[in-house]
Amino acid sequence: MAEFGFNEHHQNEAINYMRFARSKRAIRLKTIDSCFEDLKDSRLVDETFTVDEVRDMLDGLQLVVRGEVETELINTAHTNVLLLRQLFSQAEKFYLRLQTDTSELENRELLEQVAEFEKTEFKNQNKGTTNQEISRPKLSPLNEGGVSELLNKEISRLQEEKDKLKGRLRTLETQAMGALDEKTKAERALKDLQKVQGEQKMATRSQEITSLEDTMAALQEDYQKSLSVNAASQRDLQDNLVSAKHDLLRVQEQLALAEKELDRKFQQTSAYRNMKEILTKKNEQIKDIRKRLSKYESDE
């Protein structure tokens, strides 16, 4: 079978199939022979027959032989389909797509080569042993270079997809780190702004307290000086001192209210609202990136 390009293994498989076909053909031929023998034994008992009787016997024989031949042809077609099923199933495991050319099945040259090979292969075999069961090994997996190349291509394609996913993962990680840096910068800027506002408020309040303390000190000094003048003046200075203390408490209360009002106005400023919106957006971006990262990590 070198003309067909078969290797030794496939040549043995072809021989096994031809042996199987020869066995089935011999059985069917024996069946047809038995049809004729039955006709001879059952109908050809007289020495003379009319034309109608001969026609009747031949019609009956025709039906029997036709049925046997038709059964054999149908069985052969179905057997060939099962053989193709084995080949196709084995090929699909390696992602191969086999094709058939039915026109080659009527190639007289190839058919003659097959017939010659069959004669050569089975010339030493006894034709009477056609009913012998032949053990046939199962089809072995293909190990040709084309299959290995196909598998290598599939592995390369999967590796490329894996590398692409890793690249996308690295890009998402970079974006996440950038978003975290922007969030950190925004938080630092907000803290700096709050610190500046707090320092301004503390400076203003410190100046007011210093001014009040200076006023208190001046009043106390005046009070001490007035003690030596007279009792009436002393009572007036004491009243002024009490009034000053009340003023100090009132101013401190006003300062506390002013501080709260300043905090409220600061929170209503556009800078504070913009900074808060930036922080909110960055937090949402970080949450979305983390979800996407977790999704690609699970696919990995």
Side-chain angles (χ1 to χ4, degrees):
M1 295 290 282
E3 298 83 354
F4 299 103
F6 286 178
N7 56 29
E8 183 178 359
H9 172 77
H10 290 160
Q11 179 171 320
N12 292 331
E13 292 296 326
I15 293 172
N16 289 333
Y17 179 74
M18 293 177 69
R19 186 178 290 112
F20 168 78
R22 284 169 61 88
S23 174
K24 294 296 183 181
R25 184 168 67 244
I27 293 173
R28 192 58 58 187
L29 289 175
K30 282 186 176 182
T31 303
I32 294 175
D33 291 340
S34 65
C35 293
F36 283 89
E37 293 297 329
D38 291 341
L39 177 63
K40 292 177 182 179
D41 296 338
S42 61
R43 301 294 300 274
L44 299 180
V45 293
D46 296 331
E47 295 181 357
T48 59
F49 296 94
T50 64
V51 175
D52 292 336
E53 289 175 340
V54 173
R55 183 180 290 107
D56 183 58
M57 287 188 291
L58 291 177
D59 290 341
L61 180 62
Q62 179 185 4
L63 290 176
V64 175
V65 174
R66 178 185 176 87
E68 292 294 335
V69 174
E70 183 180 11
T71 301
E72 177 60 20
L73 292 175
I74 293 174
N75 183 68
T76 301
H78 293 173
T79 302
N80 291 333
V81 171
L82 292 180
L83 180 62
L84 291 175
R85 177 179 177 271
Q86 295 181 30
L87 296 175
F88 292 160
S89 298
Q90 189 173 134
E92 289 176 0
K93 293 181 180 179
F94 295 93
Y95 304 98
L96 298 177
R97 294 184 178 181
L98 303 183
Q99 293 181 346
T100 58
D101 186 0
T102 55
S103 63
E104 289 295 322
L105 300 179
E106 297 180 353
N107 189 320
R108 299 305 306 174
E109 182 180 356
L110 294 178
L111 290 174
E112 290 175 359
Q113 291 179 10
V114 174
E116 183 63 28
F117 172 77
E118 184 178 7
K119 291 178 181 179
T120 303
E121 184 65 28
F122 298 99
K123 64 181 179 179
N124 295 326
Q125 295 186 6
N126 188 358
K127 295 183 179 180
T129 60
T130 55
N131 196 27
Q132 181 182 2
E133 290 294 332
I134 304 299
S135 60
R136 295 177 301 279
K138 294 183 178 179
L139 293 176
S140 302
L142 297 176
N143 292 316
E144 300 298 329
V147 176
S148 299
E149 183 179 358
L150 181 62
L151 292 176
N152 290 331
K153 288 182 179 180
E154 183 67 14
I155 293 172
S156 300
R157 185 184 65 80
L158 295 176
Q159 185 64 37
E160 290 178 359
E161 291 184 358
K162 181 180 179 181
D163 294 338
K164 289 180 181 179
L165 291 176
K166 285 184 177 180
R168 293 178 62 185
L169 182 61
R170 286 193 293 270
T171 302
L172 291 174
E173 289 177 349
T174 303
Q175 294 177 354
M177 294 300 297
L180 288 174
D181 292 339
E182 292 181 1
K183 179 184 177 183
T184 303
K185 292 179 181 179
E187 291 177 346
R188 188 180 298 113
L190 180 60
K191 290 180 180 179
D192 293 340
L193 181 60
Q194 291 175 345
K195 183 178 179 181
V196 171
Q197 294 291 336
E199 289 177 353
Q200 291 178 352
K201 290 189 291 183
M202 290 297 296
T204 302
R205 185 168 62 181
S206 178
Q207 290 176 358
E208 292 176 353
I209 292 175
T210 301
S211 177
L212 290 174
E213 289 177 348
D214 292 341
T215 303
M216 189 72 176
L219 290 174
Q220 288 179 348
E221 184 179 359
D222 292 339
Y223 175 71
Q224 293 293 333
K225 289 179 180 180
S226 64
L227 287 177
S228 60
V229 179
N230 51 46
S233 297
Q234 185 178 2
R235 286 193 296 271
D236 292 338
L237 289 174
Q238 189 173 3
D239 293 338
N240 290 333
L241 181 59
V242 172
S243 177
K245 288 182 178 180
H246 291 167
D247 291 339
L248 177 60
L249 294 174
R250 184 171 58 255
V251 169
Q252 288 178 345
E253 182 178 1
Q254 291 176 355
L255 284 175
L257 294 175
E259 182 180 359
K260 292 180 180 180
E261 181 66 20
L262 184 60
D263 287 337
R264 186 182 62 80
K265 290 181 178 180
F266 172 72
Q267 294 179 359
Q268 293 178 353
T269 60
S270 59
Y272 179 84
R273 288 195 301 269
N274 292 335
M275 192 65 64
K276 189 173 182 180
E277 290 177 357
I278 291 173
L279 288 176
T280 302
K281 291 179 179 179
K282 295 301 179 182
N283 287 330
E284 293 296 329
Q285 291 178 358
I286 290 172
K287 290 179 180 179
D288 182 62
I289 292 173
R290 284 176 178 172
K291 290 181 180 179
R292 294 168 64 185
L293 284 174
S294 62
K295 176 180 179 181
Y296 284 108
E297 288 175 355
S298 62
D299 292 341
E300 184 83 10

